[in-house]
């Protein structure tokens, strides 16, 4: 349930923060509808470790965060997220 997910997330952030945030970015972009709030939160909240998260994402999923954002977002929202990533 919710508490189990929260505990696993906290453990992941403590033990392997880069991969945990990379997983959250992928989860935000999964399916037909992008979770824009989660995606934006990941990129802004974890901006201090973003370079390492981007590397972890590329290694784990074989796809750049930038490509994922370009594919799953549009318009001004896409522009802002890509600026954060650059």
């Amino acid at each position: 349930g919710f508490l189990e997910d929260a505990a696993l997330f906290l453990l992941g952030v403590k033990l392997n923060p880069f991969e945990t945030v990379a997983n959250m970015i992928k989860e935000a972009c999964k399916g037909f509808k992008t979770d824009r709030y989660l995606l934006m939160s990941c990129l802004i909240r974890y901006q201090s470790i973003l370079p390492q998260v981007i590397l972890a994402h590329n290694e784990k999923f074989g796809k750049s965060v930038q490509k994922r954002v370009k594919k799953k977002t549009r318009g001004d929202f896409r522009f802002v997220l890509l600026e954060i990533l650059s």
Side-chain angles (χ1 to χ4, degrees):
F2 177 76
L3 289 177
E4 183 180 338
D5 290 344
L8 289 173
F9 172 76
L10 288 174
L11 186 62
V13 167
K14 290 293 182 187
L15 297 177
N16 196 348
F18 311 136
E19 189 173 320
T20 300
V21 177
N23 287 336
M24 284 181 21
I25 291 170
K26 183 176 189 286
E27 189 67 28
C29 296
K30 183 171 87 174
F32 289 112
K33 187 167 172 108
T34 300
D35 185 338
R36 294 171 58 148
Y37 182 76
L38 178 58
L39 180 58
M40 180 178 54
S41 296
C42 289
L43 298 182
I44 293 172
R45 183 172 189 183
Y46 299 106
Q47 197 168 15
S48 64
I49 61 169
L50 204 51
Q52 296 92 338
V53 169
I54 290 170
L55 287 174
H57 187 281
N58 290 348
E59 289 174 10
K60 184 166 185 178
F61 303 114
K63 185 175 192 177
S64 74
V65 176
Q66 289 88 342
K67 283 185 181 179
R68 196 175 292 281
V69 167
K70 283 180 186 176
K71 182 178 179 186
K72 300 298 279 186
T73 61
R74 299 278 178 256
D76 290 340
F77 185 64
R78 175 196 282 172
F79 176 78
V80 169
L81 295 183
L82 290 175
E83 284 297 310
I84 292 168
L85 290 167
S86 64

